[in-house]
Amino acid sequence: MKLDELARNATDSLLAGTTPDTTTGLAHLRRSSRRRSTARVAAAGLAVVTVLGGTLAVTRADDSAPEPAEPVVRNGALLVTTDSRAFRMVDGGGALDLPDDHYAYYDSTFTADGRELVYTSVDGRVVAHDVVTGDARELWDCGRPSPCFWAVSPDAERLAVVVEEGIEVHTVDDGTSTTIRTPETPGAYLDWSPDGRSLLFSGTESIYTIGVDGSDLRSVAATAPLHLDFPRVAWSPDGTTIAFVDSTPLEEPSAPNDVVESQYTLRLVAPNGEDLRTVQDLGVCACLGLVSPDLAWAPDGSGIAFTKVGRIRSHGAHLLDLGTGQLRELSPDANGFLAWEPAVSD
Amino acid sequence: MSEPIQGELLDAPPARPRPGESFEGFYAAEMPRLVALARGLCGSAGAEDVAQEAMLVAYRRWGEVGGLERPEQWVRRTCANLAVSQFRRGMVELRVRTRISARRPPADQLDEMSEQFWSAVRALPQRQAQVAALRFVYDLPIADIARTLGCTEGTVKQHLSRARRSLADALDVTEEEA
């Protein structure tokens, strides 16, 4: 038999056995495309009603008109890094093929609809990488070789960037900017509230929230004095809790820029500053930047993934279930950044 | 499969939106072969999800994609790249599992020879597999394959030549063109 004859028969067989239901497929596709709408609606000020059994139902604050069933946010792929190498899924599946210009030494995060992984490029641009197509779009150019510190809004339409005088909020589409003045230059990590109305940032001895219009500045919790590191901060998906990495120096630095061993902990607090509590020991090390603990909220709010550190080596990525208090090891060798993809169901 | 004579109709004319054609028309026309392409490149399991994911991106960007001269090339490339990336497929499968509560009915089994053929295609290096699958599923000329994948015609010819040789060896058939 000739190859072309075999190929023709095999192709006919393949086509005959492939009869997708395009009507149903189109309906699914239209519903799935509402994920981006869901993220935008969330940013417009929805009230989160409740967390139900590990899923997060997002509903409208105004219930005057009957609504179709809202999509539910569940946990998608959890990505970890090891030694600054490419992100890979916790449960296998290879590595995410990010562009060569991905700057491995800075945080990356998913957009609220899970479609894009936003990262810093080696030449200081903030880029959104479509994880399906591999396409990339530039959100902002920091204008200098070293990376700027940023956080993308839930609707992916704005980018908050740390500047000397506070936080600049850039609108991606038209490039307009506003500056929010803060009492001190924010640290490296920012986060948006799920409704897109407030920002969370760390200072030298405190973590703060502030409205995007510059109003309602609030010191949420005191932290250990900054010592060449910045506490990672993250707002929970339902907006009710702020998680942050705190550190307590175990010795006095002999010089201002000396790196000393510190005890790292994972702490939670309500946005109004109440109910501050330590939930997890994150280890001891003389860490700096890259190897200090990272954290990522589960998109459904049921838990927090984090990395632990140690004096000699890192201690991998783990998951704390906030409902049961149970701990689970996710990856023994993960020691860098975490990113958790939201998966929005029909 | 020989190169078509200029002006000769292809067996599988490309699905191309006519002026005013909606995404729905494009989807209905393109989807069956897109699923076949995905199935040829990554097997039955998850093939429809991969094709659907490519279409989902096209749908969201239809204002841009629909305005391309050959939007079907765009969606075929997206599908082909998604199909050969184990990581991206894993993310898609995870995402789809949360989106669709009802399980899809299993795809029809291929006959043994056809299954062997497509298994051999999947065993090729990724780019060769993509070129071969586009050639066989769509009966595309070299130039169209090159434009779909965004590479030169020379590169496509090289990949196709190597793919044909490897497939002929693996399947114990003669390579000469029909």
Side-chain angles (χ1 to χ4, degrees), chain B residues 37-97:
Chain B
L37 175 67
R39 194 174 173 189
L41 286 172
C42 65
S44 300
E48 196 165 337
D49 297 335
V50 166
Q52 182 77 340
E53 197 76 8
M55 277 294 191
L56 178 59
V57 181
Y59 179 68
R60 287 178 174 154
R61 297 188 195 173
W62 189 241
E64 170 196 334
V65 174
L68 296 172
E69 190 186 338
R70 300 286 295 272
E72 72 278 4
Q73 287 180 347
W74 187 93
V75 79
R76 288 170 192 172
R77 174 169 57 205
T78 300
C79 180
N81 286 340
L82 196 49
V84 299
S85 164
Q86 184 187 11
F87 181 91
R88 292 184 198 280
R89 280 211 316 276
M91 292 185 78
V92 166
E93 283 164 18
L94 198 55
R95 201 177 298 142
V96 169
R97 275 206 297 274

Side-chain angles (χ1 to χ4, degrees), chain A residues 25 30 93 131 135 341 345, chain B residues 24 52 61 87-88 95 98:
Chain A
R30 286 197 184 99
V131 296
D135 293 341
E341 179 200 27
S345 64
Chain B
E24 286 75 13
Q52 182 77 340
R61 297 188 195 173
F87 181 91
R88 292 184 198 280
R95 201 177 298 142
T98 70

Side-chain angles (χ1 to χ4, degrees), chain A residues 141-283:
Chain A
D141 186 347
C142 297
R144 50 189 167 90
S146 57
C148 51
F149 303 121
W150 53 265
V152 62
S153 65
D155 58 9
E157 292 180 352
R158 293 167 292 167
L159 197 72
V161 180
V162 171
V163 293
E164 181 93 25
E165 53 272 24
I167 302 170
E168 273 184 2
V169 178
H170 305 288
T171 302
V172 173
D173 281 346
D174 61 19
T176 56
S177 303
T178 57
T179 300
I180 305 168
R181 295 197 176 273
T182 55
E184 53 176 313
T185 302
Y189 299 101
L190 303 174
D191 197 16
W192 288 78
S193 60
D195 63 8
R197 292 175 169 167
S198 303
L199 285 159
L200 170 67
F201 65 95
S202 53
T204 48
E205 293 186 0
S206 179
I207 59 172
Y208 299 91
T209 59
I210 190 168
V212 290
D213 59 358
S215 67
D216 199 23
L217 172 69
R218 188 192 298 257
S219 171
V220 176
T223 58
L226 269 185
H227 195 61
L228 293 183
D229 199 358
F230 303 99
R232 279 162 170 80
V233 293
W235 221 310
S236 65
D238 66 0
T240 63
T241 310
I242 288 168
F244 64 99
V245 175
D246 201 0
S247 64
T248 304
L250 299 180
E251 53 187 314
E252 281 299 313
S254 54
N257 290 334
D258 204 16
V259 179
V260 298
E261 275 200 343
S262 298
Q263 168 69 59
Y264 285 82
T265 52
L266 176 61
R267 310 189 81 190
L268 302 180
V269 65
N272 61 5
E274 294 179 2
D275 198 21
L276 174 64
R277 56 206 187 279
T278 300
V279 295
Q280 181 62 37
D281 164 19
L282 298 180

Side-chain angles (χ1 to χ4, degrees), chain A residues 1 3-4 10 13-15 17-18 25-26 29-30 32 35 77 89 93-95 115 130-131 135 341 345, chain B residues 1 24 27 35-36 39 52-53 57 59-61 87-88 94-95 98-99 111 114 118 164 173-174 177-178:
Chain A
M1 181 182 275
L3 176 63
D4 288 324
S13 179
L14 185 72
L15 290 169
T18 305
L26 201 47
L29 190 146
R30 286 197 184 99
S32 298
R35 292 188 306 171
M89 287 174 69
R115 295 303 309 214
D130 189 309
V131 296
D135 293 341
E341 179 200 27
S345 64
Chain B
M1 294 176 207
E24 286 75 13
Y27 181 92
V35 174
R39 194 174 173 189
Q52 182 77 340
E53 197 76 8
V57 181
Y59 179 68
R60 287 178 174 154
R61 297 188 195 173
F87 181 91
R88 292 184 198 280
L94 198 55
R95 201 177 298 142
T98 70
R99 283 210 306 256
D111 59 86
S114 299
W118 288 110
R164 289 178 61 85
V173 294
T174 58
E177 301 249 0

